[in-house]
Amino acid sequence: MEQTTRPTGDGGSEITLKLTAREIEMLGDDATDAVGLLARALWAATDLRSGTSRDAWWPVVMDVSRLIRQMEGVRDAAVREMPNASHGELAAALDLHRQTVASRRRAGTLPPTEPTEWEQWARTGSHPDQPQH
């Protein structure tokens, strides 16, 4: 995966995310969907920072919530892949206090004792909001 940014000549920038054939094979439409959700979040952040009003924020709330759940699934899967990471290493990576990491690990919430549906999505691409066949 390769990200590039280049000026557009009108003061803007074009941000490109180039995926390999293997990445497309593994991610499929999820890659396009995630970029769309991120674009909605950036668009909303632009409006918030500039004071631009909107008739409805619900689409933003729904899209950003979905993006957050997806990213949490990826994070939880990555944490699960590092069972021998120290509390200090995880605390630094997650920007948490070491004691918080230790407490969450003891409670079975870092990562969750059982993989969440969004962690399963990260690993398999199966969508939690779609019935399985």
Side-chain angles (χ1 to χ4, degrees), residues 19 22-33:
L19 281 71
R22 180 167 173 9
E23 290 163 342
I24 288 296
E25 179 185 346
M26 292 292 103
L27 297 172
D29 290 339
D30 288 338
T32 303
D33 293 344

Side-chain angles (χ1 to χ4, degrees), residues 17-100:
L17 187 63
K18 181 180 177 184
L19 281 71
T20 65
R22 180 167 173 9
E23 290 163 342
I24 288 296
E25 179 185 346
M26 292 292 103
L27 297 172
D29 290 339
D30 288 338
T32 303
D33 293 344
V35 170
L37 296 173
L38 178 59
R40 170 88 72 166
L42 294 173
W43 177 51
T46 299
D47 284 355
L48 291 165
R49 291 178 185 187
S50 67
T52 302
S53 63
R54 289 174 175 253
D55 292 332
W57 285 92
W58 292 114
V60 172
V61 172
M62 291 185 306
D63 286 353
V64 172
S65 294
R66 183 177 180 90
L67 181 62
I68 289 169
R69 289 190 305 271
Q70 290 175 343
M71 296 304 101
E72 286 174 342
V74 173
R75 180 209 53 213
D76 290 348
V79 169
R80 193 175 306 281
E81 291 294 316
M82 303 183 301
N84 298 322
S86 72
H87 296 326
E89 290 169 325
L90 281 177
L94 297 170
D95 195 27
L96 295 171
H97 293 286
R98 185 189 172 287
Q99 296 83 356
T100 301

Side-chain angles (χ1 to χ4, degrees), residues 75-77 79-80 90 104-105 108-114 119:
R75 180 209 53 213
D76 290 348
V79 169
R80 193 175 306 281
L90 281 177
R104 289 182 184 177
R105 277 182 145 179
T109 60
L110 184 66
T113 304
E114 294 295 321
E119 181 179 341

